Amino acid sequence: MPMTQQCIQKHYEGAWKANSDAAKHLRDITYSSPIEDAIVYPLYRRMIADLRLKATGGDVLDIGSGAGRWIRFFLENFSPKKLVGADYTQGSIDLLNKWFPTGCAPQTDLSFRLTDITNPALDLGQQFDLINIANVLFHIPEADLFNNAIANLKKHVKRDGMIVTTEYLPRAPVRTEWMLVRDRYHFEHAIKQAGLRIVAIKAFNIFANDPMGIEGPDDGARGDFNKVRAMIRSLGAANASSEETTRFVITFLTEIEKALLSFCADRIPDIEMPSQKLVFLAPV
Ligand SMILES: C[S@@+](CC[C@H](N)C(=O)[O-])C[C@H]1O[C@@H](n2cnc3c(N)ncnc32)[C@H](O)[C@@H]1O
C-alpha cells in the first residue's frame, strides 16, 4: 500500500529516535552511503562556488533535516551566519538538539524547528539565501501538499537566493511504497506555477542511490540497476569485518561512479542520467 505523508511521518518519528538512541558519537549517525557522500559533497561545494551561493555569511534553511546530514555538510564546509534545520518529526528535532548542542558552531546562529513544509500557513518569519531540501519532495505524494511545499519554498527564498533540491526527473512518474517520484514535466510545471525557474541540474550517483531516474517497471532497466545496487551493498556488508577492505571497497565503488559520471558529463545531458540530480531553483 503506497504511503501517505502521515505514514511517512510516523516512520521517521521512530527511525530518528532509534538512530539517536543507538549513537555513541555524532559519526555513528549516518544516513547516506559513503560512496554517495564522496560524490555529492564535492559537487555541491563546486556548485555553491560556481553559482556564488551565500552558504558562508548567509542565512541557510535545511528542510527535512532528519539525522542532520546536511546540517553537518553546511557546518563543516561553510560558515553560515544563520542555519535553521527544519523537520516535521519531533524525533529529528530532538536528535538535532542532542547532537548539535548550543555553541557547537560558534560562528553560526544554529537552531532547529518543528516545521511542516506542506503547511499552507507556514511562516518562518524571514527569507533565506539558500534553502536545501534533499530527499523530501518525493515523500509528499499528495498533489495539494506538494504544491503547498513548492509555494513555501518560493515564499521563504530571497529574491537573489537559491533553492537546492535532490530530484530524479524521469520521463514518467515512478510510484513506490515510499516515494512518488514526479516526472520532469510535472516537476517543471509545478516550479513554474510557483514563480521559480531551474538554474542548473547536476547528476550524481548512479549505483549509490535509487535508480529512480529510470521510468518503467522494475523488471526493466530499473530492475537491472537495482540488482547491481543490491550486489554493491552485499559487497560492502561482506567486507565490513576488515576496516582496510571496507575502505578499499568504498574507494573502488566511488571511483567507478566517478569514471562513469565523467564519461557521461560531456555526452549525456544531466537530466537523462539514470541517477539522482542536484536541482538549483531561483525565483523568476
Ligand atoms: C529521506 S529523509 C532525508 C533526510 C535528509 N534531508 C537527507 O537528505 O539525508 C526525509 C526527511 O524529510 C522529512 N520530511 C518529510 N516530509 C516533510 C514535511 N512535510 N515537512 C518537513 N519535513 C518533512 C522526514 O521527516 C525526514 O526527516
Side-chain angles (χ1 to χ4, degrees), residues 5-6 8-13 16 30-32 36-37 41 62-71 86-92 113-119 122 132-140 145 149 166 178-179 276:
Q5 262 275 280
Q6 233 182 347
I8 289 165
Q9 186 176 22
K10 206 167 152 203
H11 161 81
Y12 279 115
E13 278 296 3
W16 298 140
T30 52
Y31 184 61
S32 50
E36 175 175 332
D37 295 350
Y41 293 166
D62 177 45
I63 297 166
S65 293
R69 171 183 175 203
W70 297 101
I71 298 295
D87 201 285
Y88 76 161
T89 64
Q90 188 60 48
S92 163
R113 291 177 71 148
L114 190 63
T115 303
D116 181 353
I117 192 64
T118 70
N119 174 1
L122 183 68
N132 183 65
I133 176 160
N135 301 302
V136 177
L137 291 174
F138 55 56
H139 277 331
I140 310 178
L145 299 185
T166 56
W178 287 90
M179 298 154 94
Q276 205 175 20

Coordinates of all heavy atoms in Angstrom, one line a residue, residues 5-6 8-13 16 30-32 36-37 41 62-71 86-92 113-119 122 132-140 145 149 166 178-179 276, ligand 1:
Q5 N 1.9 11.1 3.4 CA 2.7 12.0 4.2 C 2.6 11.6 5.7 O 3.6 11.6 6.4 CB 2.3 13.4 4.1 CG 3.1 14.2 3.1 CD 4.3 14.8 3.7 OE1 4.3 15.8 4.4 NE2 5.5 14.2 3.5
Q6 N 1.4 11.2 6.1 CA 1.2 10.9 7.5 C 1.9 9.6 7.9 O 2.6 9.5 9.0 CB -0.3 10.7 7.8 CG -0.8 11.5 8.9 CD -2.3 11.3 9.2 OE1 -3.0 10.7 8.3 NE2 -2.7 11.8 10.3
I8 N 4.5 8.4 6.5 CA 6.0 8.6 6.4 C 6.4 9.3 7.6 O 7.5 9.0 8.2 CB 6.3 9.4 5.1 CG1 6.1 8.5 3.9 CG2 7.7 10.0 5.1 CD1 6.0 9.1 2.5
Q9 N 5.6 10.3 8.1 CA 6.0 11.0 9.3 C 6.1 10.0 10.5 O 7.1 10.1 11.3 CB 4.9 12.0 9.6 CG 5.2 12.9 10.8 CD 4.1 14.0 11.0 OE1 3.0 13.8 10.6 NE2 4.5 15.1 11.6
K10 N 5.1 9.1 10.6 CA 5.2 8.1 11.7 C 6.5 7.2 11.6 O 7.1 7.0 12.6 CB 3.9 7.2 11.5 CG 3.5 6.6 12.8 CD 2.1 6.0 12.7 CE 2.1 4.8 13.7 NZ 1.1 3.8 13.4
H11 N 6.8 6.9 10.4 CA 8.0 6.0 10.2 C 9.2 6.8 10.7 O 10.0 6.3 11.5 CB 8.2 5.7 8.7 CG 9.6 5.2 8.4 ND1 10.1 4.0 8.7 CD2 10.7 5.9 8.0 CE1 11.4 3.9 8.4 NE2 11.8 5.1 8.0
Y12 N 9.4 8.1 10.2 CA 10.6 8.8 10.6 C 10.6 9.2 12.1 O 11.7 9.3 12.6 CB 10.8 10.0 9.7 CG 11.4 9.7 8.3 CD1 10.6 9.8 7.2 CD2 12.6 9.2 8.2 CE1 11.2 9.5 5.9 CE2 13.2 8.8 7.0 CZ 12.4 9.0 5.8 OH 13.0 8.6 4.6
E13 N 9.5 9.4 12.7 CA 9.5 9.7 14.1 C 10.3 8.6 14.8 O 11.2 8.9 15.6 CB 8.0 9.7 14.7 CG 7.3 11.0 14.5 CD 7.8 12.2 15.3 OE1 8.9 12.1 15.9 OE2 7.2 13.2 15.2
W16 N 14.3 8.2 13.6 CA 15.2 9.2 14.1 C 15.5 9.0 15.6 O 16.6 9.2 16.0 CB 14.8 10.6 13.7 CG 14.7 10.9 12.3 CD1 13.7 11.7 11.7 CD2 15.6 10.5 11.2 NE1 14.0 11.8 10.3 CE2 15.1 11.1 10.0 CE3 16.7 9.7 11.1 CZ2 15.7 10.8 8.7 CZ3 17.3 9.5 9.9 CH2 16.8 10.1 8.7
T30 N 24.7 7.9 10.8 CA 24.9 8.0 9.3 C 23.5 7.8 8.7 O 22.7 7.1 9.2 CB 25.9 7.0 8.8 OG1 25.5 5.7 9.3 CG2 27.3 7.3 9.3
Y31 N 23.4 8.3 7.5 CA 22.1 8.1 6.8 C 22.4 7.7 5.4 O 21.9 6.7 4.9 CB 21.2 9.3 6.9 CG 19.9 9.1 6.3 CD1 19.0 8.1 6.7 CD2 19.4 9.8 5.2 CE1 17.8 7.8 6.2 CE2 18.2 9.6 4.6 CZ 17.4 8.6 5.1 OH 16.2 8.4 4.5
S32 N 23.3 8.4 4.7 CA 23.5 8.2 3.3 C 24.7 7.2 3.2 O 25.4 7.0 4.2 CB 23.9 9.5 2.6 OG 24.8 10.1 3.3
E36 N 28.0 7.7 -1.9 CA 27.1 8.9 -2.3 C 27.8 10.2 -1.8 O 27.9 11.1 -2.6 CB 25.7 8.7 -1.8 CG 24.9 9.9 -2.1 CD 23.4 9.8 -1.7 OE1 22.9 8.7 -1.6 OE2 22.8 10.8 -1.4
D37 N 28.1 10.2 -0.5 CA 28.7 11.4 0.1 C 30.0 11.8 -0.7 O 30.2 13.0 -0.9 CB 29.0 11.2 1.6 CG 27.8 10.9 2.4 OD1 26.7 11.1 1.9 OD2 28.0 10.5 3.6
Y41 N 29.0 15.6 -2.1 CA 29.5 16.7 -1.4 C 30.5 17.6 -2.2 O 30.3 18.9 -2.3 CB 30.2 16.3 -0.1 CG 29.2 15.7 1.0 CD1 29.7 15.0 2.1 CD2 27.8 15.8 0.8 CE1 28.8 14.4 3.0 CE2 26.9 15.3 1.7 CZ 27.4 14.6 2.8 OH 26.6 14.0 3.7
D62 N 17.6 24.3 6.0 CA 17.6 22.9 5.6 C 16.3 22.3 6.0 O 16.0 22.2 7.1 CB 18.8 22.2 6.3 CG 18.8 20.7 5.9 OD1 18.6 20.4 4.7 OD2 18.9 19.9 6.8
I63 N 15.5 21.9 4.9 CA 14.2 21.3 5.2 C 14.3 19.8 5.1 O 14.8 19.3 4.2 CB 13.2 21.9 4.2 CG1 13.1 23.4 4.4 CG2 11.8 21.2 4.4 CD1 12.4 24.1 3.3
G64 N 13.7 19.1 6.1 CA 13.7 17.7 6.2 C 15.1 17.3 6.7 O 15.7 16.4 6.1
S65 N 15.6 17.9 7.7 CA 16.9 17.7 8.2 C 17.2 16.3 8.7 O 18.4 15.8 8.6 CB 17.2 18.6 9.4 OG 17.3 20.0 8.9
G66 N 16.2 15.6 9.1 CA 16.4 14.2 9.5 C 17.4 14.0 10.6 O 17.4 14.5 11.7
A67 N 18.5 13.3 10.2 CA 19.6 13.0 11.2 C 20.7 14.0 11.1 O 21.8 13.8 11.6 CB 20.1 11.6 10.9
G68 N 20.5 15.1 10.3 CA 21.4 16.2 10.4 C 22.5 16.1 9.3 O 23.5 16.8 9.4
R69 N 22.3 15.3 8.4 CA 23.4 15.1 7.4 C 23.8 16.4 6.7 O 25.0 16.7 6.6 CB 22.8 14.1 6.3 CG 23.7 14.0 5.1 CD 22.9 13.0 4.2 NE 23.7 12.9 2.9 CZ 23.1 12.6 1.8 NH1 21.8 12.3 1.7 NH2 23.8 12.5 0.7
W70 N 22.8 17.2 6.3 CA 23.1 18.5 5.6 C 23.5 19.6 6.6 O 24.2 20.5 6.2 CB 22.0 18.9 4.7 CG 21.8 17.8 3.6 CD1 20.9 16.9 3.6 CD2 22.7 17.6 2.5 NE1 21.1 16.0 2.5 CE2 22.1 16.5 1.8 CE3 23.8 18.3 2.0 CZ2 22.7 16.0 0.6 CZ3 24.4 17.8 0.8 CH2 23.8 16.7 0.1
I71 N 23.1 19.4 7.8 CA 23.5 20.4 8.9 C 25.0 20.3 9.0 O 25.8 21.2 9.0 CB 22.8 20.1 10.2 CG1 21.3 20.3 10.1 CG2 23.4 21.0 11.4 CD1 20.8 21.7 9.8
A86 N 15.0 22.2 9.8 CA 13.5 22.1 10.0 C 13.1 20.6 9.6 O 13.6 20.1 8.6 CB 12.8 23.1 9.1
D87 N 12.2 20.1 10.4 CA 11.7 18.7 10.1 C 10.3 18.6 10.7 O 10.0 19.3 11.7 CB 12.6 17.7 10.6 CG 12.4 16.3 9.9 OD1 11.4 15.6 10.1 OD2 13.3 16.0 9.0
Y88 N 9.5 17.8 10.1 CA 8.1 17.7 10.7 C 8.0 16.5 11.7 O 7.0 16.2 12.1 CB 7.0 17.6 9.6 CG 6.8 16.3 8.8 CD1 5.6 16.1 8.1 CD2 7.8 15.3 8.7 CE1 5.4 14.9 7.4 CE2 7.6 14.2 8.0 CZ 6.4 14.0 7.3 OH 6.1 12.8 6.6
T89 N 9.2 15.9 12.1 CA 9.2 14.9 13.1 C 9.9 15.5 14.4 O 11.0 16.1 14.2 CB 9.8 13.6 12.7 OG1 11.2 13.9 12.5 CG2 9.2 13.0 11.5
Q90 N 9.3 15.3 15.5 CA 9.9 15.7 16.8 C 11.2 14.8 17.0 O 12.1 15.3 17.6 CB 8.9 15.5 17.9 CG 9.3 16.0 19.3 CD 9.6 17.6 19.2 OE1 8.8 18.3 18.7 NE2 10.8 18.0 19.7
G91 N 11.1 13.6 16.5 CA 12.3 12.7 16.6 C 13.5 13.3 16.0 O 14.6 13.2 16.6
S92 N 13.4 14.0 14.8 CA 14.5 14.6 14.2 C 14.9 15.8 15.0 O 16.1 16.0 15.2 CB 14.1 15.0 12.8 OG 15.0 16.0 12.3
R113 N 13.7 23.7 14.1 CA 12.3 24.0 14.3 C 11.4 22.9 13.8 O 11.7 22.4 12.6 CB 12.0 25.2 13.5 CG 12.6 26.5 14.0 CD 12.2 27.6 13.1 NE 10.8 28.0 13.2 CZ 10.3 29.2 13.0 NH1 11.1 30.2 12.8 NH2 9.0 29.4 13.1
L114 N 10.5 22.5 14.5 CA 9.5 21.6 14.1 C 8.6 22.3 13.0 O 8.0 23.3 13.3 CB 8.6 21.1 15.3 CG 7.6 20.0 15.0 CD1 8.4 18.7 14.7 CD2 6.7 19.7 16.2
T115 N 8.7 21.8 11.8 CA 8.1 22.6 10.7 C 7.6 21.6 9.6 O 8.3 20.7 9.2 CB 9.2 23.4 9.9 OG1 9.8 24.2 10.9 CG2 8.7 24.2 8.8
D116 N 6.3 21.8 9.2 CA 5.8 21.0 8.1 C 5.8 21.9 6.9 O 5.1 22.9 6.8 CB 4.4 20.6 8.5 CG 3.8 19.7 7.4 OD1 4.4 19.6 6.3 OD2 2.7 19.2 7.6
I117 N 6.6 21.5 5.9 CA 6.8 22.4 4.7 C 5.5 22.4 3.9 O 5.4 23.2 3.0 CB 8.0 21.9 3.9 CG1 8.4 23.0 2.8 CG2 7.9 20.6 3.3 CD1 8.8 24.3 3.3
T118 N 4.6 21.5 4.1 CA 3.3 21.4 3.3 C 2.2 22.3 4.0 O 1.1 22.4 3.4 CB 2.8 20.0 3.2 OG1 2.3 19.5 4.4 CG2 3.9 19.0 2.7
N119 N 2.5 22.9 5.1 CA 1.5 23.7 5.8 C 1.3 25.0 5.0 O 2.2 25.8 4.9 CB 2.1 24.0 7.2 CG 1.2 25.0 8.0 OD1 0.1 25.4 7.5 ND2 1.6 25.3 9.2
L122 N 2.4 28.2 6.6 CA 3.8 28.3 7.2 C 4.4 29.7 7.0 O 4.4 30.3 5.9 CB 4.7 27.3 6.5 CG 6.1 27.2 7.0 CD1 6.1 26.6 8.4 CD2 7.0 26.3 6.1
N132 N 18.0 24.3 1.4 CA 18.3 23.0 1.0 C 17.1 22.1 1.3 O 16.7 22.1 2.4 CB 19.6 22.5 1.7 CG 20.1 21.2 1.3 OD1 20.5 21.0 0.2 ND2 20.0 20.2 2.2
I133 N 16.7 21.3 0.3 CA 15.6 20.3 0.6 C 15.9 19.0 -0.1 O 15.6 18.9 -1.3 CB 14.2 20.9 0.3 CG1 13.1 19.9 0.5 CG2 14.1 21.6 -1.1 CD1 11.7 20.5 0.7
A134 N 16.6 18.2 0.6 CA 17.2 17.0 0.0 C 16.4 15.7 0.4 O 16.1 15.5 1.6 CB 18.6 16.8 0.4
N135 N 15.9 15.0 -0.6 CA 15.2 13.7 -0.4 C 13.9 13.9 0.4 O 13.6 13.1 1.3 CB 16.1 12.7 0.4 CG 17.4 12.5 -0.4 OD1 17.3 12.0 -1.6 ND2 18.6 12.8 0.1
V136 N 13.2 15.0 0.1 CA 12.0 15.3 0.9 C 10.8 15.3 -0.1 O 9.7 14.7 0.2 CB 12.1 16.6 1.6 CG1 10.7 16.9 2.3 CG2 13.2 16.6 2.6
L137 N 10.9 16.0 -1.2 CA 9.7 16.2 -2.1 C 9.1 14.9 -2.6 O 7.9 14.8 -2.7 CB 10.0 17.2 -3.2 CG 10.3 18.6 -2.8 CD1 10.8 19.5 -4.0 CD2 9.1 19.3 -2.1
F138 N 9.9 13.9 -2.8 CA 9.3 12.6 -3.2 C 8.5 11.9 -2.1 O 7.8 10.9 -2.4 CB 10.4 11.7 -3.8 CG 11.5 11.3 -3.0 CD1 11.4 10.8 -1.7 CD2 12.8 11.6 -3.5 CE1 12.5 10.5 -0.9 CE2 13.9 11.3 -2.7 CZ 13.8 10.7 -1.4
H139 N 8.6 12.4 -0.9 CA 7.9 11.8 0.2 C 6.5 12.6 0.4 O 5.8 12.4 1.4 CB 8.6 12.0 1.5 CG 9.6 10.9 1.8 ND1 9.5 9.6 1.3 CD2 10.8 10.9 2.5 CE1 10.5 8.9 1.6 NE2 11.3 9.6 2.4
I140 N 6.2 13.4 -0.6 CA 4.9 14.2 -0.5 C 4.1 13.8 -1.7 O 4.0 14.5 -2.7 CB 5.2 15.7 -0.5 CG1 6.2 16.1 0.6 CG2 3.9 16.5 -0.2 CD1 6.6 17.6 0.7
L145 N -0.6 19.0 -1.2 CA 0.5 19.2 -0.2 C 1.8 19.5 -1.0 O 2.6 20.3 -0.5 CB 0.7 18.0 0.7 CG -0.5 17.6 1.5 CD1 -0.2 16.5 2.5 CD2 -1.0 18.8 2.4
A149 N 4.1 22.8 -0.6 CA 5.6 22.8 -0.3 C 6.3 23.6 -1.3 O 7.2 24.4 -0.8 CB 6.1 21.3 -0.4
T166 N 17.0 17.7 -4.3 CA 17.5 16.5 -5.0 C 16.3 15.8 -5.7 O 15.3 15.5 -5.0 CB 18.2 15.5 -4.0 OG1 17.2 15.1 -3.0 CG2 19.4 16.0 -3.4
W178 N 7.3 4.0 -0.9 CA 7.8 5.1 -0.1 C 7.7 6.5 -0.8 O 7.8 7.5 -0.2 CB 9.3 4.9 0.3 CG 9.4 3.9 1.3 CD1 9.5 2.5 1.1 CD2 9.4 4.1 2.7 NE1 9.6 1.9 2.3 CE2 9.6 2.8 3.3 CE3 9.3 5.2 3.5 CZ2 9.6 2.7 4.7 CZ3 9.4 5.1 4.9 CH2 9.5 3.8 5.5
M179 N 7.8 6.4 -2.2 CA 8.1 7.6 -2.9 C 7.1 7.8 -4.0 O 6.6 6.8 -4.7 CB 9.5 7.5 -3.5 CG 10.6 7.4 -2.6 SD 12.0 6.6 -3.3 CE 13.0 7.9 -3.9
Q276 N 20.3 10.3 -9.4 CA 19.6 11.5 -8.8 C 20.4 12.7 -9.2 O 21.5 12.6 -9.7 CB 19.7 11.3 -7.2 CG 18.6 12.0 -6.5 CD 18.6 11.8 -5.0 OE1 19.6 11.4 -4.4 NE2 17.5 12.1 -4.4
Ligands
LIG1 C1 14.6 10.7 3.3 S1 14.8 11.7 4.7 C2 16.0 12.8 4.2 C3 16.9 13.4 5.3 C4 18.0 14.3 4.8 N1 17.4 15.5 4.2 C5 18.9 13.6 3.8 O1 19.0 14.0 2.6 O2 19.6 12.7 4.2 C6 13.3 12.7 4.6 C7 13.2 13.7 5.7 O3 12.2 14.6 5.4 C8 11.3 14.8 6.4 N2 10.0 15.3 5.9 C9 9.1 14.6 5.1 N3 8.1 15.4 4.9 C10 8.2 16.6 5.5 C11 7.5 17.7 5.6 N4 6.2 17.8 5.1 N5 8.0 18.8 6.3 C12 9.2 18.7 6.9 N6 10.0 17.6 6.8 C13 9.5 16.5 6.1 C14 11.2 13.5 7.1 O4 10.8 13.6 8.5 C15 12.7 13.0 7.0 O5 13.5 13.5 8.1

